[in-house]
Amino acid sequence: MPPVLDVEGVHTYYGESHILHGVSLRVGVGEAVAVLGRNGAGKTTAMRTIVGFTPPREGTVRFRGEALLGVPAYEIARRGIGLVPQGRRIFAPLSVEENLRLGARPAPDGWTLDRVYAAFPRLRERARQGGGTLSGGEQQMLAVARALMTNPQLLLLDEPSEGLAPIVLREIGRVLLRLKEEGLSILLVEQNVPLALRVADRVYVMSKGQIVYHGSPDELASDENIKRRFLGVS
């Protein structure tokens, strides 16, 4: 079975600044894959490349076997890629429920308001509140739930742990594990190594716009050299 996402030899630029240098990565059907790296490693640019915000100048991005080069971002989303962007980017003036309904795409046995509220009970309690009045953790839950309401076949999450209290971080980790168990393909960009190793089946490490490591969570956990050099942990 071909991978749900296949990124091959991608070179991406901002103007004349060369950010991604031949990045290749894959996500299999029902697989959770993490991309780790320090700030400025190119992780968010990789996400932007996949969803069409910053198309590559070289290389290919394929989703379910179909090339995405030249496909506009809104069409990529319609094809089944859901994005939880860095910084959440919820619509502050809209209520929680309005945020959830805005991009919803119904699917048989898919994500509905009731199902999202069951996964995130706090959002049910805040359904009529404006998105801008939520705490940071609640906004992150809303960003994840909003992406799920599109019923994606591939969920991209860009730094979902950023700025979260430990109790909220555990909740996000619990939801990601549940999504993985349900067979949703996940690409997780993170600096939080424990969260990534808890969720992922495979791990890539990026540095200076390149993939410098690829292995299993257990292999990375035991590789002190890679963790020290590229992740700043030991």
Side-chain angles (χ1 to χ4, degrees):
M1 183 180 294
V4 67
L5 177 70
D6 189 357
V7 178
E8 186 66 40
V10 157
H11 291 259
T12 301
Y13 294 71
Y14 291 136
E16 295 307 311
S17 298
H18 194 174
I19 307 301
L20 299 185
H21 302 262
V23 167
S24 298
L25 59 87
R26 290 167 183 79
V27 180
V29 176
E31 185 180 35
V33 173
V35 180
L36 295 167
R38 291 172 168 161
N39 274 336
K43 306 185 303 299
T44 292
T45 302
M47 288 291 212
R48 292 179 58 86
T49 297
I50 292 166
V51 299
F53 292 161
T54 312
R57 291 191 190 176
E58 299 177 43
T60 59
V61 178
R62 290 186 176 87
F63 176 58
R64 296 160 50 203
E66 296 184 1
L68 297 183
L69 191 60
V71 178
Y74 67 85
E75 179 60 30
I76 291 173
R78 285 177 180 169
R79 292 188 185 188
I81 296 181
L83 173 66
V84 180
Q86 186 176 22
R88 297 138 197 170
R89 305 214 177 172
I90 55 110
F91 297 100
L94 301 183
S95 70
V96 166
E97 187 164 318
E98 288 169 336
N99 268 274
L100 293 173
R101 290 186 181 278
L102 193 62
R105 283 193 292 274
D109 301 319
W111 287 90
T112 63
L113 270 179
D114 284 342
R115 188 176 173 195
V116 159
Y117 287 151
F120 298 98
R122 210 171 312 178
L123 295 184
R124 186 190 298 275
E125 298 170 7
R126 307 284 195 270
R128 303 289 180 240
Q129 280 187 223
T133 69
L134 303 183
S135 70
E138 290 166 346
Q139 288 187 9
Q140 186 63 73
M141 292 177 188
L142 178 56
V144 174
R146 182 182 59 185
L148 292 175
M149 287 289 288
T150 70
N151 281 294
Q153 297 178 47
L154 171 65
L155 182 64
L156 309 183
L157 301 107
D158 193 355
E159 303 281 8
S161 74
E162 186 176 54
L164 297 187
I167 188 170
V168 181
L169 184 56
R170 286 194 294 272
E171 181 75 3
I172 294 295
R174 180 189 64 78
V175 170
L176 293 182
L177 285 171
R178 175 182 167 185
L179 296 175
K180 176 181 169 181
E181 290 168 0
E182 293 181 0
L184 181 61
S185 302
I186 296 171
L187 181 61
L188 170 67
V189 158
E190 260 299 342
Q191 290 189 68
N192 187 307
V193 176
L195 174 64
L197 297 187
R198 180 182 168 203
V199 171
D201 299 301
R202 289 186 299 110
V203 181
Y204 294 91
V205 176
M206 287 188 72
S207 178
K208 298 179 180 178
Q210 296 179 302
I211 300 293
V212 295
Y213 179 88
H214 174 219
S216 71
D218 287 344
E219 289 168 341
L220 178 59
S222 62
D223 195 323
E224 300 301 328
N225 179 52
I226 291 293
K227 289 192 296 182
R228 184 174 57 254
R229 286 181 61 196
F230 299 114
L231 302 176
V233 298
S234 58

